[in-house]
Amino acid sequence: MNYLKSIVVISISFFLFTSCKETNSGPKEEATENATPVAKLETASFNIEGMTCAIGCAKTIEKELSETEGVQKASVDFDNKLAKVSFDASKLTPESLVKIVEATADGKTYKVSNVKASGNKAMLLVQEPEKEKKKIKKILRFR
């Protein structure tokens, strides 16, 4: 009887060890025909003037940005008057983010400045007219 039990135990363990092995030891390849292309993620940061409170203003702007298609993450810091947004550059631009923020509320309350974006797209959207005129004059002098 012990001999029979030993053979049964060995047979079952052999079956379990050999049946759990995968036949293909390499990494599995998934079908790529219906695969979604990887998003071109970028980050943008900018200052927001005109916010008067953390709960109303900052959270409203943060919500507007977060609900925008293409935005992965948005955070607005009321104390530093700073917004940071991670977005899909194939769907949005830093300029479109600025328009979303400035259109929030009545469209006149919030003003964006000092826009910086990753991927060599750093820019300053709001410049003083005096500085802009001086730059144009310098460019024209050198031509």
Side-chain angles (χ1 to χ4, degrees), residues 64-108:
E64 287 289 323
L65 289 169
S66 296
E67 292 176 350
T68 303
E69 184 180 346
V71 173
Q72 183 182 26
K73 182 181 178 186
S75 64
V76 178
D77 182 3
F78 171 72
D79 294 328
N80 295 322
K81 299 184 185 314
L82 182 69
K84 292 182 182 180
V85 184
S86 296
F87 63 98
D88 182 354
S90 63
K91 294 182 180 181
L92 294 168
T93 62
E95 292 86 1
S96 61
L97 297 172
V98 169
K99 288 178 184 177
I100 291 167
V101 171
E102 290 184 343
T104 303
D106 62 359
K108 299 176 184 176

Side-chain angles (χ1 to χ4, degrees), residues 7-77:
I7 290 178
V8 171
V9 170
I10 291 173
S11 299
I12 291 174
S13 60
F14 177 77
F15 176 74
L16 289 174
F17 287 118
T18 58
S19 66
C20 291
K21 282 189 176 180
E22 290 184 28
T23 56
N24 184 5
S25 61
K28 293 182 180 179
E29 292 185 30
E30 296 179 16
T32 57
E33 291 177 20
N34 297 328
T36 308
V38 177
K40 183 181 174 191
L41 290 178
E42 287 191 17
T43 57
S45 63
F46 44 86
N47 293 20
I48 303 172
E49 294 297 324
M51 293 189 294
T52 58
C53 62
I55 296 172
C57 300
K59 290 298 176 190
T60 301
I61 295 169
E62 189 173 293
K63 182 180 176 191
E64 287 289 323
L65 289 169
S66 296
E67 292 176 350
T68 303
E69 184 180 346
V71 173
Q72 183 182 26
K73 182 181 178 186
S75 64
V76 178
D77 182 3

